[in-house]
Amino acid sequence: MTEVYPKQKAVPVKQSSEQSAAAPKGVMRYLPLAIILAVAAIGYATLGDYLTFDTLRENREALLAFRDANYVLTVLVFILIYVAIVAFSLPGATVATLTGGFLFATFPGALFNITAATLGAIAIFQAARWGLGEKLAARMEASDGVIHKIKQGINENEWSMLFLIRLVPAVPFFVANLVPAFVGVPLWRYAVTTFLGIIPGTVVYTSVGAGLGEVFARGETPNLGIIFEPHVLFPILGLAALAALPMILKALRGKKGL
């Protein structure tokens, strides 16, 4: 007798289609970060000779004339260019900050610089978090030993750590942009600490840019090492110490508890 088997539902086909539909999503999450890395590589190879102090000096009169004729447009274009420089980690961030001071004075130039730098930092933060940050943060949270302790320490002192990496001049700006994305820092906290944390250094360089007219007249170059001079560095380090104070107090309380 011939056995009759019930017809089976095409479940494997359905699962296969779902998997194939999910695959591009997994790949697409890396696309923003891949674009940033590609543009950054191209930018360093092609724009390094253009986004310089010499370029600003050679085009200063044209820039001032354009600003006087189109102030609002100049502000918008400047902010967009600055955002792109930070978001794609292109060379010329310091020159862009000086240009903000040169074109718009210390204020509102500092406000334009801080806003643009924060927006650019948020862009690269989001790209890094979508691509790698969520997975890395999850692995660090699930791991044991030293890695888990590092992640836990960052979680317990996020505000202090985020302010510290922004205030300490020795920490490269792109490093401070990427590290929080890899440890699962919330976006709003990252944005707030970035905006407030970069104020001291940005104001210093913007004020240097505001005085570039005299520097150009003397045929000199600006003192970009001014942020490491004692009268500038010590107040910034004081703010960094203030940001680290909660961590220090927490550590001291922990030792007393032992």
Side-chain angles (χ1 to χ4, degrees):
M1 180 180 293
T2 305
E3 297 183 1
V4 179
Y5 294 96
K7 293 183 178 180
Q8 296 180 351
K9 296 181 180 179
V11 175
V13 176
K14 184 178 180 181
Q15 289 177 346
S16 178
S17 62
E18 289 178 353
Q19 291 174 355
S20 62
K25 293 182 180 179
V27 174
M28 289 297 292
R29 68 184 301 169
Y30 298 103
L31 184 60
L33 185 58
I35 292 174
I36 285 177
L37 293 175
V39 174
I42 296 172
Y44 268 99
T46 60
L47 299 177
D49 295 332
Y50 296 98
L51 299 176
T52 63
F53 175 73
D54 291 334
T55 301
L56 175 59
R57 178 170 51 195
E58 293 169 1
N59 296 276
R60 62 186 185 275
E61 295 180 359
L63 289 172
L64 292 175
F66 185 83
R67 178 207 62 188
D68 293 340
N70 309 275
Y71 188 85
V72 175
L73 179 60
T74 303
V75 172
L76 294 177
V77 171
F78 170 77
I79 289 178
L80 287 175
I81 292 175
Y82 201 139
V83 169
I85 289 174
V86 175
F88 294 106
S89 298
L90 298 174
T94 301
V95 175
T97 306
L98 294 175
T99 304
F102 176 68
L103 292 176
F104 310 112
T106 302
F107 187 85
L111 179 60
F112 298 154
N113 285 335
I114 294 166
T115 301
T118 301
L119 292 175
I122 289 174
I124 192 172
F125 171 85
Q126 284 289 73
R129 189 170 70 168
W130 288 334
L132 298 173
E134 292 179 354
K135 287 186 176 181
L136 288 178
R139 288 181 181 179
M140 292 178 71
E141 193 69 37
S143 63
D144 297 325
V146 177
I147 295 178
H148 180 72
K149 289 181 179 179
I150 292 174
K151 177 67 167 62
Q152 187 177 9
I154 293 174
N155 290 342
E156 293 175 354
N157 303 281
E158 271 189 356
W159 286 106
S160 297
M161 290 297 297
L162 291 173
F163 275 121
L164 272 177
I165 62 176
R166 291 300 183 188
L167 288 169
V168 176
V171 179
F173 192 63
F174 77 94
V175 172
N177 290 340
L178 292 176
V179 170
F182 295 151
V183 295
V185 171
L187 174 60
W188 70 273
R189 191 171 296 182
Y190 171 84
V192 170
T193 53
T194 297
F195 186 89
L196 297 178
I198 65 176
I199 288 177
T202 304
V203 169
V204 170
Y205 282 119
T206 305
S207 64
V208 173
L212 281 181
E214 297 179 0
V215 175
F216 289 141
R218 296 193 300 266
E220 300 175 353
T221 57
N223 179 20
L224 299 182
I226 187 174
I227 199 167
F228 295 104
E229 294 184 0
H231 66 284
V232 175
L233 181 61
F234 289 163
I236 293 178
L237 291 180
L239 291 173
L242 187 62
L245 185 59
M247 291 190 296
I248 297 173
L249 293 176
K250 187 180 294 186
L252 291 175
R253 289 171 185 162
K255 290 183 178 181
K256 288 182 180 180
L258 295 174

